[in-house]
Amino acid sequence: MIFRTWPALLVVDVEGNGTTPPDLVEVAALPIRDGRPDKTTAKAWLTRPNRPVTSFATRVHGLSNDDLADKPAWVEIAGQVHAFMSSAWICAHNAHTDYRVLSAHLPTWAPAGVLDTLRLAKATFPDLSKYSLDALIEHVQPDLSEAPAQRHRATFDAFATAQLLIAMASRYETWDQLVAAAVPPGLPGAPEPEKDPTLW
């Protein structure tokens, strides 16, 4: 896989407040450049949700209502997030979730495409019994020594997902092959199904 041929790509992760549908509390966006996560240009935002963070959500990601009390509301940072992500490709683990939540919070945002490391892992490692982020970290053993924060924070999970993407992408010869394996049907960037040839 020649990483220099990749389009602009951000690995993203979001954390929510635990409600349905969720309010965002953290967004991370980590660029991939020349086959490596570029922490020098990565962005992360903490935001105060409209509804309180549930105790369950706090147990998962560690962010409490007190932690977020002085953070900006989403309307104050939405423009920054939208501008940074622009029309780049994004990648996330179980990308339907992150794409759906981000799209709900950024109604005019339109990524060029959406790679899903969950879908990619099932194509790349068809014999695994589990495909959670933790299971893939255990299987691939990526270098997470430079990962910020801790597991279940958006910055850590984006870094881990980036390392998994890079490790799996090295098994594919072209960007188009990677897209075919990693983009779920119905999400931006999904390959068009081949049409049956006709005689007229």
Side-chain angles (χ1 to χ4, degrees), residues 112-186:
V114 180
L115 300 179
D116 182 6
T117 48
L118 175 61
R119 181 180 177 86
L120 180 61
K122 289 180 177 179
T124 309
F125 309 121
D127 298 326
L128 294 186
S129 59
K130 295 180 180 178
Y131 293 93
S132 66
L133 197 59
D134 288 321
L136 290 173
I137 289 170
E138 183 175 342
H139 179 72
V140 177
Q141 296 286 310
D143 181 4
L144 300 180
S145 59
E146 295 185 15
Q150 68 277 347
R151 177 75 174 93
H152 295 297
R153 286 290 301 272
T155 49
F156 182 102
D157 289 1
F159 187 90
T161 300
Q163 295 289 54
L164 292 171
L165 170 66
I166 291 162
M168 291 188 287
S170 66
R171 296 166 176 253
Y172 295 81
E173 293 184 4
T174 67
W175 170 256
D176 287 345
Q177 288 176 1
L178 181 67
V179 164
V183 180

Side-chain angles (χ1 to χ4, degrees), residues 9 17 22 25-26 37 77 89 98 102-104 110 115 125 127 155 175 178 183 197:
L9 172 67
N17 68 330
V25 298
E26 186 177 28
I77 62 169
W89 280 75
D98 299 77
L102 283 168
S103 295
L115 300 179
F125 309 121
D127 298 326
T155 49
W175 170 256
L178 181 67
V183 180

